[in-house]
């Protein structure tokens, strides 16, 4: 496993339960996945000696985040099975390549322009304004983004981003946001999880509601589009695709070549969760059943709620349908994902009410 964060940690847990041993490569000695791996290689992702050691120790290799250098994946693929492939990850880790891929595939995407220099910033007559300027690389959880209403604001934000290549994307009137996680194996078989409805706070996922409160046409289209993306990428692994729904129309926002935060509900509400699927694809096993067995609501827990000391866990654990997942991170910091909980039950309305009450009890969003 390349990467030692919480996604890698859940992968290690799933792999151990299925009888596999896992080596984690991550430069952080306190990485959540590294702590429970059979072997933690504490090194940079471009350390050739460490990569060689990883390749020698493992039969197959995957990643838990999209910013592993594509060159690293290409090197490892010369020696071992690597899923997903470097070519697919390279597209997903660059907003320009990603937007162009979606557009060229004939899939719905918001209007945008590529900004390589200040001269590329459209003038006042452009229909893109108001817009969001997003850096092409290393932007996530709202980082590397700025809302701009005029060319002057766009130029100022571009300068703040040190003139890195950006995407200028029209700001849409959003009905709501959704995401879909699916697994695709080497034979082209696909298993899609149910669509999640997502709410964000300060650019970070806050709440996921499953099944999404979307009509059947949106749910069906989201699965079709996400599947088409996986096929056109020749993708093998687990992928998350985020969508906007704007004035009734579904548009692709971005994709993540790995399990997705909004797919955490699968741990407690599906027959097979997204991390077991990742293990299955990597090991060449048949895909598991992605069926939802209970309505679910997932709530992220950020480091902010530790500001006044240990959160009031007793209020959360008082709910019999709540499943808590803390990631074992070394230090709680504002904005840092420290864990999540999922509430499951028979009634979607009751599950949502319980999840939001616990969210308030723990001080999330205050």
């Amino acid at each position: 496993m390349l990467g030692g964060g919480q996604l890698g940690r859940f992968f290690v847990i799933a792999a151990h339960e299925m009888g596999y041993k896992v080596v984690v490569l991550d430069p952080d000695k306190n990485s959540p996945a590294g702590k429970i791996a059979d072997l933690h290689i504490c090194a940079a992702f471009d350390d050739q000696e460490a990569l060689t050691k990883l390749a020698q120790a493992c039969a197959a290799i995957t990643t838990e985040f999209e910013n592993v250098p594509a060159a690293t994946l290409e090197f490892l693929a010369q020696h071992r099975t690597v899923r997903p492939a470097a070519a697919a990850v390279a597209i997903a880790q660059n907003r320009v390549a990603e937007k162009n891929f979606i557009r060229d595939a004939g899939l719905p995407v918001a209007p945008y322009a590529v900004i390589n220099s200040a001269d590329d910033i459209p003038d006042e007559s452009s229909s893109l304004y108001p817009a969001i300027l997003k850096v092409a690389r290393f932007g996530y959880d709202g980082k590397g983004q700025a809302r701009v209403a005029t060319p002057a604001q766009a130029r100022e934000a571009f300068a703040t981003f040190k003139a890195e290549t950006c995407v200028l994307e029209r700001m849409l009137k959003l009905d709501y946001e959704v995401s879909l996680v699916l697994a695709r194996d080497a034979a082209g078989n696909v298993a899609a999880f149910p669509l999640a409805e997502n709410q964000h706070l300060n650019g970070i996922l806050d709440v996921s509601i499953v099944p999404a409160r979307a009509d059947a046409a949106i749910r069906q289209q989201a699965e079709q589009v996400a599947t088409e993306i996986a096929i056109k990428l020749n993708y093998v692994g687990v992928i998350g695709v985020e969508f906007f729904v704007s004035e009734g129309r579904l548009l692709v926002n971005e994709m993540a070549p790995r399990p997705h935060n909004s797919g955490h509900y699968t741990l407690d509400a599906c027959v097979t969760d997204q991390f077991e699927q990742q293990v299955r694809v990597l090991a060449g096993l048949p895909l598991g059943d992605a069926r939802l067995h209970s309505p679910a609501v997932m709530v992220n827990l950020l480091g902010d709620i530790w500001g006044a000391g240990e959160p009031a866990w007793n209020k959360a654990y008082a709910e019999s349908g709540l499943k808590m997942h803390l990631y074992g991170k070394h230090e709680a910091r504002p904005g840092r994902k420290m864990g999540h909980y999922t509430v499951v039950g028979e009634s979607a309305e009751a599950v949502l009410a319980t999840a939001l009450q616990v969210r308030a009890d723990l001080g999330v969003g205050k």
Side-chain angles (χ1 to χ4, degrees):
M1 169 58 70
L2 294 164
Q6 63 265 22
L7 300 179
R9 182 183 179 92
F10 284 123
F11 174 89
V12 173
I13 292 170
H16 281 169
E17 289 180 342
M18 296 170 71
Y20 295 101
K21 293 184 178 180
V22 184
V23 179
V24 167
L25 174 66
D26 190 279
D28 180 4
K29 69 179 188 300
N30 294 311
S31 70
K35 287 179 181 177
I36 64 171
D38 296 277
L39 173 63
H40 176 199
I41 301 174
C42 191
F45 296 115
D46 58 357
D47 184 321
Q48 290 292 310
E49 183 178 343
L51 294 177
T52 299
K53 183 178 181 180
L54 180 69
Q56 290 172 343
C58 299
I61 298 165
T62 190
T63 178
E64 62 120 36
F65 76 120
E66 56 265 47
N67 290 325
V68 169
T72 292
L73 298 175
E74 290 169 352
F75 171 80
L76 292 170
Q78 296 173 20
H79 307 279
R80 292 289 183 266
T81 296
V82 175
R83 295 172 177 166
V89 175
I91 291 172
Q93 67 185 198
N94 185 297
R95 289 190 193 277
V96 173
E98 182 180 58
K99 296 290 185 188
N100 289 346
F101 167 83
I102 296 166
R103 178 200 63 197
D104 294 346
L107 301 175
V109 64
Y112 69 94
V114 177
I115 311 299
N116 290 308
S117 72
D119 294 337
D120 295 327
I121 294 173
D123 63 24
E124 291 85 350
S125 65
S126 173
S127 62
L128 289 178
Y129 297 109
I132 302 178
L133 188 70
K134 303 177 180 180
V135 293
R137 288 179 59 81
F138 306 120
Y140 65 95
D141 287 344
K143 297 179 176 68
Q145 299 186 17
R147 297 188 175 199
V148 296
T150 64
Q153 290 180 1
R155 285 191 289 271
E156 182 179 349
F158 186 63
T160 300
F161 297 150
K162 299 179 181 178
E164 291 185 34
T165 297
C166 291
V167 170
L168 185 70
E169 183 178 312
R170 183 196 293 169
M171 192 180 301
L172 302 170
K173 181 181 179 182
L174 296 184
D175 303 339
Y176 52 93
E177 297 180 54
V178 293
S179 61
L180 189 137
V181 177
L182 63 78
R184 183 172 183 268
D185 67 17
N189 299 304
V190 172
F193 290 102
L195 190 67
E197 176 186 344
N198 301 319
Q199 299 171 1
H200 295 80
L201 184 65
N202 300 322
I204 302 174
L205 181 64
D206 182 19
V207 176
S208 289
I209 301 166
V210 187
R213 296 170 296 184
D215 62 38
I218 289 291
R219 293 198 298 270
Q220 182 179 16
Q221 186 187 4
E223 183 172 339
Q224 289 174 340
V225 171
T227 300
E228 191 167 349
I229 285 173
I231 292 170
K232 289 183 180 296
L233 280 174
N234 194 25
Y235 193 88
V236 180
V238 173
I239 186 171
V241 182
E242 298 178 36
F243 299 93
F244 297 134
V245 179
S246 175
E247 300 177 313
R249 184 177 177 222
L250 186 80
L251 300 164
V252 180
N253 175 23
E254 60 186 26
M255 51 198 180
R258 50 167 172 77
H260 196 264
N261 191 174
S262 68
H264 285 344
Y265 75 88
T266 64
L267 286 162
D268 305 303
C270 292
V271 177
T272 305
D273 66 67
Q274 62 175 345
F275 304 100
E276 181 181 334
Q277 292 288 48
Q278 190 181 20
V279 176
R280 284 172 171 266
V281 172
L282 192 61
L285 300 174
L287 297 176
D289 186 348
R291 176 167 40 93
L292 185 78
H293 58 66
S294 303
V297 173
M298 187 279 297
V299 178
N300 262 339
L301 299 174
L302 306 184
D304 308 63
I305 67 170
W306 274 260
E310 198 70 19
W313 300 123
N314 58 311
K315 294 182 178 180
Y317 289 124
E319 299 294 343
S320 61
L322 184 145
K323 301 289 287 185
M324 183 68 69
H325 300 275
L326 298 178
Y327 303 153
K329 292 191 174 178
H330 183 61
E331 178 186 18
R333 298 194 301 266
R336 190 183 198 191
K337 293 175 183 174
M338 299 297 295
H340 75 270
Y341 64 83
T342 303
V343 178
V344 296
E346 295 182 4
S347 162
E349 293 78 10
V351 162
L352 178 58
T354 298
L356 294 181
Q357 182 59 57
V358 173
R359 180 181 179 277
D361 290 343
L362 293 177
V364 177
K366 289 184 180 178

